[in-house]
Each structure stands twice: as structure tokens, then as C-alpha cells.
Amino acid sequence: MKILAVVLMIALAIFLVLYVTLIGRRRLAQRTTTVVPAPPVAPTADSLGAVRFGPLEAVYVSTTLHGDWLARVGAHGLGDRAHAVVSVHDQGVLIERDGTADLWLPVTEIRSTGLAPGMAGKYVGTDGLVVVTWAVPEADGVSAALVDTGLRTRRAEDRGGLVDAVRHLLAAQQPGQQAQHHEQQYPHQQYPHQQEAR
């Protein structure tokens, strides 16, 4: 009888933890739905342009509001960690995530990239994450939002290469276009843990 009571108490505790977690995730998604619009749909393979880097295996860590590495974006599946394949194309960065929709970062919306030790509850140490700062374009009446997307490549040596590929992609745009666009539409914020690639 005691064993049955213990088993029931453990089952109840597990249920409560799962329930509270689910409610928390739903509330986070509801809060950020009005702050961050739905990200753009990835174009067809023919429209991606030539592959500049990758594909490479990575973990999609999360997307947070720019400048606040703890402000996870729960809406649109942007806060869900997933295994991913990342590739840099002429037209942007494609993050193909397991179990959820692919994430497309158009080159016109990417603002910067660098290395960081962690974000949104995931701390991996110095230069452990590639962080791409980009603007989710306005959609469905929700204003554009500046966000940070974190990736941890499976191989450490790929991190610098990914950062360099995105920077070269930005450099190919008209000089000063990205920085000017950023300053006009968004307040200047510094990602607290972002570092230059080494």
C-alpha cells in the first residue's frame, strides 16, 4: 500500500511539473505574439541563391529579444530548442529545424553576427554560440522586431566560419545600408554577451 501511495505521489508531482511548464510556455507564446511577428516563410530551393557556407549541423538554441539574452521569444516556435541544419545562401541564412518550421533570415533583415557564451538559459562558455541579430519583418499588423537567434554548431571549428560567411554576406550589400536601416528603425542596444569572432 505504501509503495502504491509513493508511486501515485511521484506521478502527481510529474504531472504538476509538466502542467506548470505547459502553462508557462503558452503564456510566453501569448505575450510575445504581439511583440514579434511571424517570421518570413523560407523561399523555394531555386530562390535561395548559391550556397556560400554549409550545410552544417547545429543546435538551434533560441531566439530572444535583441539586447536581452534572457527574453526568450515563445511565439511562432522561436523559443523551442531543436537540432538543425544551417546553411548560408546568397539570399540569407536557412535554419532547417527538426520537428518545427524552418527559419529563414533574409539577408536584407540581418544586422550583425558574432559569438556569445550563452542565451535564454543555455550557457556554454566563451564563444560557444553563434548569435545572429536580425529584424523579423512586419506581418499581420505586428511591427517589425529586432531579435537575436542563437546557434551552437556541432563542431567548434564551424563557428568562426559561420560568422565569417554571414559577415561576408552583409558586406556584399550596399555599404552602410544595413547599419543605417538599423539605426533608423530600432533603438541602439548592445547584446550583453556578444563577442567578436576570433
Side-chain angles (χ1 to χ4, degrees), residues 99-113:
T100 189
D102 296 343
L103 186 58
W104 171 243
L105 285 56
V107 63
T108 53
E109 304 300 337
I110 298 173
R111 302 294 178 257
S112 64
T113 187

Side-chain angles (χ1 to χ4, degrees), residues 3 44 52 65 76 132 153 159-160 179 187:
I3 294 176
T44 62
R52 289 174 171 249
L65 298 178
H76 319 299
V132 181
T153 60
R159 290 174 206 143

Side-chain angles (χ1 to χ4, degrees), residues 122-156:
K122 176 71 172 177
Y123 183 83
V124 294
T126 305
D127 298 344
L129 296 182
V130 174
V131 177
V132 181
T133 298
W134 64 292
V136 184
E138 179 180 356
D140 300 324
V142 181
S143 300
L146 200 62
V147 297
D148 296 317
T149 292
L151 301 161
R152 180 166 174 80
T153 60
R154 187 175 67 82
R155 301 190 316 161

